[in-house]
Short mmCIF file of all heavy atoms in Angstrom, two decimals:
data_model
loop_
_atom_site.label_atom_id
_atom_site.label_comp_id
_atom_site.label_asym_id
_atom_site.label_seq_id
_atom_site.Cartn_x
_atom_site.Cartn_y
_atom_site.Cartn_z
N ALA U 1 -5.43 3.59 7.65
CA ALA U 1 -4.45 4.27 6.88
C ALA U 1 -4.53 3.98 5.37
O ALA U 1 -4.36 4.86 4.53
CB ALA U 1 -3.07 3.94 7.42
N LEU U 2 -4.77 2.74 5.09
CA LEU U 2 -4.92 2.27 3.75
C LEU U 2 -6.16 2.98 3.06
O LEU U 2 -6.16 3.48 1.94
CB LEU U 2 -5.09 0.75 3.61
CG LEU U 2 -3.89 -0.10 3.91
CD1 LEU U 2 -4.40 -1.65 3.98
CD2 LEU U 2 -2.89 -0.02 2.79
N GLU U 3 -7.36 3.11 3.87
CA GLU U 3 -8.45 3.66 3.23
C GLU U 3 -8.31 5.18 3.11
O GLU U 3 -8.69 5.86 2.19
CB GLU U 3 -9.59 3.35 4.30
CG GLU U 3 -10.02 1.94 4.45
CD GLU U 3 -10.40 1.37 3.09
OE1 GLU U 3 -11.02 2.07 2.27
OE2 GLU U 3 -10.27 0.15 2.89
N MET U 4 -7.51 5.80 4.09
CA MET U 4 -7.30 7.34 3.94
C MET U 4 -6.49 7.47 2.58
O MET U 4 -6.76 8.44 1.95
CB MET U 4 -6.54 7.73 5.20
CG MET U 4 -7.56 7.95 6.37
SD MET U 4 -6.51 8.19 7.90
CE MET U 4 -5.44 9.42 7.36
N LEU U 5 -5.44 6.71 2.47
CA LEU U 5 -4.63 6.95 1.28
C LEU U 5 -5.35 6.57 -0.11
O LEU U 5 -5.17 7.30 -1.02
CB LEU U 5 -3.31 6.08 1.36
CG LEU U 5 -2.23 6.49 2.29
CD1 LEU U 5 -1.25 5.42 2.59
CD2 LEU U 5 -1.51 7.72 1.81
N LYS U 6 -6.13 5.64 -0.02
CA LYS U 6 -6.97 5.17 -1.11
C LYS U 6 -7.89 6.35 -1.70
O LYS U 6 -7.94 6.45 -2.83
CB LYS U 6 -7.81 4.00 -0.69
CG LYS U 6 -8.48 3.38 -1.97
CD LYS U 6 -9.40 2.26 -1.49
CE LYS U 6 -8.68 1.25 -0.67
NZ LYS U 6 -9.60 0.09 -0.29
N ASP U 7 -8.33 7.20 -0.92
CA ASP U 7 -9.28 8.25 -1.28
C ASP U 7 -8.53 9.28 -2.11
O ASP U 7 -9.09 10.03 -2.94
CB ASP U 7 -9.78 8.92 -0.09
CG ASP U 7 -10.70 8.05 0.72
OD1 ASP U 7 -11.21 7.09 0.13
OD2 ASP U 7 -10.95 8.36 1.91
N GLU U 8 -7.22 9.29 -2.05
CA GLU U 8 -6.36 10.34 -2.78
C GLU U 8 -6.10 9.91 -4.20
O GLU U 8 -5.58 10.58 -5.04
CB GLU U 8 -4.99 10.60 -2.17
CG GLU U 8 -5.24 11.12 -0.69
CD GLU U 8 -4.00 11.40 -0.01
OE1 GLU U 8 -2.90 11.56 -0.80
OE2 GLU U 8 -3.83 11.45 1.16
N TYR U 9 -6.42 8.63 -4.51
CA TYR U 9 -6.03 7.99 -5.84
C TYR U 9 -7.27 7.31 -6.51
O TYR U 9 -8.17 6.99 -5.72
CB TYR U 9 -4.85 7.04 -5.74
CG TYR U 9 -3.60 7.75 -5.04
CD1 TYR U 9 -3.35 7.62 -3.68
CD2 TYR U 9 -2.73 8.46 -5.92
CE1 TYR U 9 -2.24 8.21 -3.15
CE2 TYR U 9 -1.67 9.13 -5.42
CZ TYR U 9 -1.48 8.99 -3.99
OH TYR U 9 -0.33 9.61 -3.43
N GLU U 10 -7.15 7.23 -7.81
CA GLU U 10 -8.29 6.63 -8.48
C GLU U 10 -8.60 5.11 -8.29
O GLU U 10 -9.63 4.85 -8.17
CB GLU U 10 -8.23 6.92 -10.03
CG GLU U 10 -8.25 8.39 -10.49
CD GLU U 10 -7.92 8.46 -11.95
OE1 GLU U 10 -7.92 7.53 -12.63
OE2 GLU U 10 -7.96 9.68 -12.49
N SER U 11 -7.45 4.45 -8.04
CA SER U 11 -7.59 2.98 -7.76
C SER U 11 -6.60 2.53 -6.75
O SER U 11 -5.63 3.27 -6.70
CB SER U 11 -7.51 2.23 -9.04
OG SER U 11 -6.18 2.33 -9.48
N SER U 12 -6.93 1.47 -6.02
CA SER U 12 -6.08 1.13 -4.93
C SER U 12 -4.81 0.43 -5.39
O SER U 12 -3.91 0.07 -4.67
CB SER U 12 -6.74 0.27 -4.02
OG SER U 12 -7.12 -0.99 -4.67
N ASN U 13 -4.73 0.14 -6.77
CA ASN U 13 -3.47 -0.49 -7.21
C ASN U 13 -2.67 0.46 -7.96
O ASN U 13 -1.79 -0.03 -8.81
CB ASN U 13 -3.83 -1.81 -7.96
CG ASN U 13 -4.49 -1.49 -9.26
OD1 ASN U 13 -5.11 -0.43 -9.41
ND2 ASN U 13 -4.62 -2.48 -10.19
N ALA U 14 -2.95 1.80 -7.87
CA ALA U 14 -2.22 2.86 -8.60
C ALA U 14 -0.77 2.81 -8.02
O ALA U 14 -0.48 2.73 -6.79
CB ALA U 14 -2.73 4.14 -8.44
N PRO U 15 0.26 2.83 -8.82
CA PRO U 15 1.69 2.83 -8.29
C PRO U 15 1.89 3.88 -7.29
O PRO U 15 2.79 3.66 -6.29
CB PRO U 15 2.52 3.09 -9.61
CG PRO U 15 1.67 2.59 -10.68
CD PRO U 15 0.29 2.89 -10.26
N ALA U 16 1.40 5.07 -7.43
CA ALA U 16 1.57 6.11 -6.43
C ALA U 16 0.97 5.75 -5.01
O ALA U 16 1.61 5.96 -4.04
CB ALA U 16 0.93 7.45 -6.90
N TYR U 17 -0.25 5.19 -5.08
CA TYR U 17 -0.79 4.79 -3.86
C TYR U 17 0.01 3.71 -3.26
O TYR U 17 0.29 3.63 -1.97
CB TYR U 17 -2.18 4.17 -4.17
CG TYR U 17 -2.79 3.33 -2.98
CD1 TYR U 17 -3.19 3.99 -1.82
CD2 TYR U 17 -2.98 2.02 -3.18
CE1 TYR U 17 -3.76 3.27 -0.82
CE2 TYR U 17 -3.59 1.25 -2.17
CZ TYR U 17 -3.90 1.94 -0.98
OH TYR U 17 -4.45 1.14 0.01
N LEU U 18 0.58 2.61 -3.99
CA LEU U 18 1.40 1.67 -3.37
C LEU U 18 2.50 2.14 -2.82
O LEU U 18 3.14 1.73 -1.84
CB LEU U 18 1.65 0.63 -4.49
CG LEU U 18 0.18 -0.16 -4.98
CD1 LEU U 18 0.68 -1.23 -6.10
CD2 LEU U 18 -0.58 -0.77 -3.85
N ALA U 19 3.13 3.08 -3.56
CA ALA U 19 4.34 3.70 -3.02
C ALA U 19 4.17 4.39 -1.72
O ALA U 19 5.01 4.38 -0.87
CB ALA U 19 5.05 4.63 -4.05
N GLN U 20 3.04 5.15 -1.51
CA GLN U 20 2.74 5.80 -0.29
C GLN U 20 2.56 4.72 0.86
O GLN U 20 3.03 4.97 1.98
CB GLN U 20 1.42 6.56 -0.31
CG GLN U 20 1.57 7.81 -1.28
CD GLN U 20 1.97 9.07 -0.37
OE1 GLN U 20 2.60 8.82 0.68
NE2 GLN U 20 1.80 10.10 -1.09
N VAL U 21 1.87 3.56 0.54
CA VAL U 21 1.93 2.56 1.55
C VAL U 21 3.13 2.06 1.96
O VAL U 21 3.57 1.81 3.14
CB VAL U 21 0.94 1.56 1.05
CG1 VAL U 21 0.85 0.30 2.09
CG2 VAL U 21 -0.54 2.01 0.81
N ALA U 22 4.03 1.87 0.92
CA ALA U 22 5.34 1.37 1.14
C ALA U 22 6.24 2.38 2.07
O ALA U 22 6.92 1.95 3.00
CB ALA U 22 6.03 1.07 -0.10
N ALA U 23 6.07 3.63 1.73
CA ALA U 23 6.75 4.68 2.60
C ALA U 23 6.18 4.76 4.04
O ALA U 23 6.91 4.85 4.93
CB ALA U 23 6.57 6.05 1.93
N ALA U 24 4.84 4.44 4.23
CA ALA U 24 4.32 4.34 5.44
C ALA U 24 4.86 3.17 6.26
O ALA U 24 5.29 3.27 7.48
CB ALA U 24 2.80 4.28 5.35
N CYS U 25 5.03 1.98 5.58
CA CYS U 25 5.62 0.78 6.20
C CYS U 25 7.06 1.15 6.71
O CYS U 25 7.47 0.73 7.79
CB CYS U 25 5.58 -0.32 5.25
SG CYS U 25 3.98 -1.05 4.91
N GLN U 26 7.69 1.84 5.90
CA GLN U 26 9.13 2.10 6.16
C GLN U 26 9.27 3.01 7.38
O GLN U 26 10.05 2.82 8.32
CB GLN U 26 9.85 2.81 5.01
CG GLN U 26 11.30 3.03 5.04
CD GLN U 26 11.97 3.84 4.02
OE1 GLN U 26 11.32 4.67 3.45
NE2 GLN U 26 13.16 3.43 3.69
N ARG U 27 8.39 4.08 7.45
CA ARG U 27 8.30 4.86 8.72
C ARG U 27 8.00 4.08 9.92
O ARG U 27 8.45 4.46 11.02
CB ARG U 27 7.32 5.96 8.44
CG ARG U 27 7.66 7.01 7.51
CD ARG U 27 6.80 8.23 7.51
NE ARG U 27 5.41 7.94 7.18
CZ ARG U 27 4.92 7.96 5.99
NH1 ARG U 27 5.68 8.33 4.88
NH2 ARG U 27 3.59 7.73 5.77
N GLU U 28 7.22 2.93 9.77
CA GLU U 28 6.93 2.15 10.98
C GLU U 28 7.90 1.19 11.28
O GLU U 28 7.74 0.37 12.22
CB GLU U 28 5.47 1.45 10.58
CG GLU U 28 4.28 2.43 10.58
CD GLU U 28 4.00 3.05 11.86
OE1 GLU U 28 4.29 2.49 12.81
OE2 GLU U 28 3.41 3.99 11.88
N GLY U 29 9.07 1.13 10.53
CA GLY U 29 10.25 0.35 10.87
C GLY U 29 10.08 -1.06 10.25
O GLY U 29 10.73 -2.12 10.62
N ARG U 30 9.31 -1.32 9.16
CA ARG U 30 9.06 -2.62 8.54
C ARG U 30 10.32 -2.71 7.46
O ARG U 30 10.66 -1.74 6.89
CB ARG U 30 7.79 -2.69 7.88
CG ARG U 30 6.58 -2.36 8.77
CD ARG U 30 6.53 -3.33 10.01
NE ARG U 30 6.33 -4.69 9.75
CZ ARG U 30 6.46 -5.79 10.57
NH1 ARG U 30 6.53 -5.39 11.91
NH2 ARG U 30 6.22 -6.89 10.29
N SER U 31 10.59 -3.93 7.07
CA SER U 31 11.58 -4.16 6.07
C SER U 31 10.76 -4.18 4.69
O SER U 31 9.64 -4.15 4.60
CB SER U 31 12.26 -5.53 6.26
OG SER U 31 11.22 -6.56 6.07
N GLU U 32 11.73 -4.17 3.64
CA GLU U 32 11.07 -4.19 2.31
C GLU U 32 10.19 -5.42 2.12
O GLU U 32 9.05 -5.32 1.52
CB GLU U 32 12.16 -4.18 1.25
CG GLU U 32 12.81 -2.94 1.03
CD GLU U 32 13.83 -2.98 -0.26
OE1 GLU U 32 13.32 -3.62 -1.25
OE2 GLU U 32 14.75 -2.24 -0.27
N GLN U 33 10.73 -6.59 2.53
CA GLN U 33 9.95 -7.82 2.38
C GLN U 33 8.61 -7.87 3.10
O GLN U 33 7.61 -8.20 2.61
CB GLN U 33 10.91 -9.00 2.74
CG GLN U 33 12.02 -9.27 1.89
CD GLN U 33 13.18 -8.37 2.25
OE1 GLN U 33 13.13 -7.54 3.18
NE2 GLN U 33 14.23 -8.60 1.63
N GLU U 34 8.73 -7.26 4.35
CA GLU U 34 7.47 -7.25 5.18
C GLU U 34 6.49 -6.27 4.52
O GLU U 34 5.37 -6.51 4.54
CB GLU U 34 7.82 -6.79 6.55
CG GLU U 34 8.53 -7.88 7.33
CD GLU U 34 9.11 -7.38 8.68
OE1 GLU U 34 9.48 -6.19 8.80
OE2 GLU U 34 9.22 -8.19 9.64
N ALA U 35 6.95 -5.14 3.92
CA ALA U 35 6.05 -4.13 3.31
C ALA U 35 5.37 -4.71 2.13
O ALA U 35 4.08 -4.61 1.90
CB ALA U 35 6.88 -2.87 2.95
N ALA U 36 6.14 -5.45 1.34
CA ALA U 36 5.57 -6.00 0.15
C ALA U 36 4.56 -7.12 0.51
O ALA U 36 3.47 -7.12 -0.06
CB ALA U 36 6.63 -6.65 -0.75
N ALA U 37 4.83 -7.96 1.45
CA ALA U 37 3.90 -9.09 1.92
C ALA U 37 2.71 -8.35 2.50
O ALA U 37 1.48 -8.92 2.27
CB ALA U 37 4.65 -9.95 2.91
N PHE U 38 2.72 -7.23 3.31
CA PHE U 38 1.63 -6.58 3.76
C PHE U 38 0.74 -6.20 2.76
O PHE U 38 -0.49 -6.26 2.75
CB PHE U 38 2.10 -5.38 4.70
CG PHE U 38 0.92 -4.58 5.18
CD1 PHE U 38 -0.01 -4.94 6.14
CD2 PHE U 38 0.64 -3.26 4.57
CE1 PHE U 38 -0.96 -4.08 6.63
CE2 PHE U 38 -0.30 -2.57 5.03
CZ PHE U 38 -1.15 -2.97 6.00
N ILE U 39 1.27 -5.39 1.81
CA ILE U 39 0.42 -4.91 0.59
C ILE U 39 -0.39 -5.99 -0.09
O ILE U 39 -1.47 -5.76 -0.33
CB ILE U 39 1.26 -4.02 -0.37
CG1 ILE U 39 1.81 -2.80 0.41
CG2 ILE U 39 0.53 -3.62 -1.61
CD1 ILE U 39 2.86 -1.98 -0.38
N LEU U 40 0.45 -7.03 -0.42
CA LEU U 40 -0.22 -8.15 -1.16
C LEU U 40 -1.35 -8.88 -0.26
O LEU U 40 -2.31 -9.33 -0.82
CB LEU U 40 0.83 -9.18 -1.58
CG LEU U 40 1.84 -8.60 -2.69
CD1 LEU U 40 2.99 -9.65 -2.76
CD2 LEU U 40 1.12 -8.52 -3.79
N ALA U 41 -1.09 -8.87 0.99
CA ALA U 41 -2.08 -9.61 1.84
C ALA U 41 -3.28 -8.64 2.08
O ALA U 41 -4.44 -9.24 2.19
CB ALA U 41 -1.39 -9.93 3.20
N GLU U 42 -3.08 -7.42 2.27
CA GLU U 42 -4.26 -6.41 2.71
C GLU U 42 -5.03 -5.92 1.63
O GLU U 42 -6.19 -5.46 1.76
CB GLU U 42 -3.64 -5.40 3.56
CG GLU U 42 -3.05 -5.92 4.88
CD GLU U 42 -4.11 -6.53 5.87
OE1 GLU U 42 -5.28 -6.09 5.77
OE2 GLU U 42 -3.80 -7.46 6.59
N SER U 43 -4.46 -5.84 0.47
CA SER U 43 -5.18 -5.14 -0.78
C SER U 43 -6.29 -6.00 -1.22
O SER U 43 -6.19 -7.21 -1.36
CB SER U 43 -4.31 -4.96 -1.83
OG SER U 43 -4.91 -4.38 -3.01
N PRO U 44 -7.47 -5.36 -1.32
CA PRO U 44 -8.64 -6.02 -1.95
C PRO U 44 -8.54 -6.42 -3.27
O PRO U 44 -9.37 -7.07 -3.90
CB PRO U 44 -9.77 -5.27 -1.49
CG PRO U 44 -9.36 -3.90 -1.48
CD PRO U 44 -7.83 -4.07 -0.94
N TYR U 45 -7.56 -5.79 -3.96
CA TYR U 45 -7.39 -5.99 -5.48
C TYR U 45 -6.34 -7.01 -5.68
O TYR U 45 -5.44 -7.07 -5.02
CB TYR U 45 -7.13 -4.60 -6.00
CG TYR U 45 -8.23 -3.45 -5.80
CD1 TYR U 45 -8.15 -2.72 -4.65
CD2 TYR U 45 -9.22 -3.35 -6.66
CE1 TYR U 45 -9.16 -1.79 -4.38
CE2 TYR U 45 -10.21 -2.55 -6.42
CZ TYR U 45 -10.12 -1.71 -5.19
OH TYR U 45 -11.17 -0.81 -5.07
N GLU U 46 -6.41 -7.52 -7.01
CA GLU U 46 -5.50 -8.54 -7.31
C GLU U 46 -4.22 -7.70 -7.93
O GLU U 46 -4.25 -6.86 -8.66
CB GLU U 46 -5.85 -9.43 -8.50
CG GLU U 46 -4.99 -10.43 -8.95
CD GLU U 46 -5.53 -11.31 -10.00
OE1 GLU U 46 -6.76 -11.36 -10.25
OE2 GLU U 46 -4.79 -12.21 -10.60
N LEU U 47 -3.00 -7.95 -7.33
CA LEU U 47 -1.79 -7.25 -7.58
C LEU U 47 -0.73 -8.23 -8.11
O LEU U 47 -0.73 -9.41 -7.82
CB LEU U 47 -1.27 -6.50 -6.46
CG LEU U 47 -2.24 -5.49 -5.76
CD1 LEU U 47 -1.55 -4.96 -4.40
CD2 LEU U 47 -2.60 -4.41 -6.79
N GLU U 48 0.21 -7.64 -9.00
CA GLU U 48 1.24 -8.56 -9.50
C GLU U 48 2.49 -8.42 -8.43
O GLU U 48 2.95 -7.34 -8.25
CB GLU U 48 1.78 -8.05 -10.97
CG GLU U 48 0.71 -8.26 -11.90
CD GLU U 48 1.25 -7.95 -13.33
OE1 GLU U 48 2.48 -7.60 -13.38
OE2 GLU U 48 0.46 -7.79 -14.29
#
């Protein structure tokens, strides 16, 4: 899912891409904290 979304944006740390991943996490029933932790752990790029 990350790779599929990544193709739609120029870089994997674009805010729009990260927002899409967060929305996907919400649909899967994850909390805000779990979504943020997932993105930071799974992204191959350095994020703030």
Side-chain angles (χ1 to χ4, degrees):
L2 288 173
E3 296 298 333
M4 286 167 47
L5 287 169
K6 190 185 303 182
D7 293 339
E8 300 180 20
Y9 301 96
E10 294 181 1
S11 64
S12 67
N13 63 345
Y17 165 70
L18 299 179
Q20 287 277 18
V21 176
C25 288
Q26 186 182 36
R27 289 193 299 271
E28 295 292 339
R30 308 303 293 178
S31 67
E32 284 188 36
Q33 294 80 0
E34 290 171 330
F38 171 78
I39 292 173
L40 291 170
E42 294 296 328
S43 175
Y45 300 90
E46 186 176 350
L47 303 175
E48 294 186 9

